[in-house]
Amino acid sequence: INAEYGGSCSWPMELLDGIDDAMRCPLLHSIVDQLCGRMPDYATLYGASPSSPKFAALLKTCKAVLLASAASEDKRAVDSVPAAHRNLVQEVLDARGADLEVAVQETAAGGSAARLVDIDWKLNLMLASDKMACMREPRVLLNLGTVLPNGQEEQVRIEMSRRELDQAIQMLAEAEAVMHDL
């Protein structure tokens, strides 16, 4: 990479112009690797550090375009790429689409690769505790069954008061509204 790329660029993706033609495709594949959790050594591979502001802007923009394209059904995010690089980005999307879809799902799930497979709930009425003689407080017990990528099953147990349950339901409704808007 020509780390001293100096021209003004209206879009960080134009920084690809400062990269040797033979290195552009491997760079985009390295960015996909990073999105999939495998951190490439950009300094060794391409002679540029992710801490460089211009290179960091290029990485951020490429990640955003690749994730947006993988997440959308119409794949129009590629249209925002400068025409000179559109075919290259589309080629990487075609080759690594499945990897990118997994990265999108993990990003949306907050980075967790575990999948929710079962929900079990129970309502208890707490009548007393060691601190109070009479409580009469309803408590919800949620058992969430998850499966990790290696196939191992895991149980997550959550206990909530009525107020905590109301807050959780409200947050889920807000999340649903955001997902609906996408």
Side-chain angles (χ1 to χ4, degrees), residues 37-181:
R38 297 177 297 274
M39 186 63 180
D41 184 2
Y42 292 112
T44 302
L45 296 170
Y46 307 105
S49 170
S51 61
S52 159
K54 289 182 181 179
F55 192 66
L58 173 66
L59 292 177
K60 182 179 178 181
T61 303
C62 288
K63 288 177 190 176
V65 167
L66 292 167
L67 285 174
S69 293
S72 71
E73 293 179 13
D74 59 8
K75 311 294 184 203
R76 289 189 188 164
V78 177
D79 294 345
S80 66
V81 175
H85 305 296
R86 207 169 283 150
N87 289 338
L88 176 63
V89 171
Q90 188 61 53
E91 177 184 323
V92 172
L93 284 168
D94 292 343
R96 302 291 297 273
D99 294 336
L100 285 167
E101 286 178 17
V102 170
V104 166
Q105 291 170 356
E106 289 178 2
T107 301
S112 174
R115 289 184 303 117
L116 181 64
V117 293
D118 187 32
I119 297 175
D120 187 27
W121 64 274
K122 180 171 40 170
L123 180 64
N124 288 341
L125 182 61
M126 193 177 287
L127 298 175
S129 76
D130 59 347
K131 295 182 177 137
M132 297 180 82
C134 183
M135 289 180 57
R136 298 195 51 84
E137 180 182 335
R139 305 287 290 180
V140 173
L141 300 173
L142 289 175
N143 289 318
L144 307 175
T146 60
V147 175
L148 301 173
N150 63 5
Q152 179 183 357
E153 292 185 17
E154 187 177 86
Q155 291 291 320
V156 178
R157 290 177 177 81
I158 303 170
E159 182 177 344
M160 292 186 275
S161 67
R162 181 180 183 139
R163 182 182 55 80
E164 293 168 329
L165 179 61
D166 288 341
Q167 288 175 341
I169 291 171
Q170 181 182 1
M171 288 188 319
L172 288 171
E174 291 170 3
E176 181 183 30
V178 169
M179 293 300 292
H180 187 285
D181 290 343

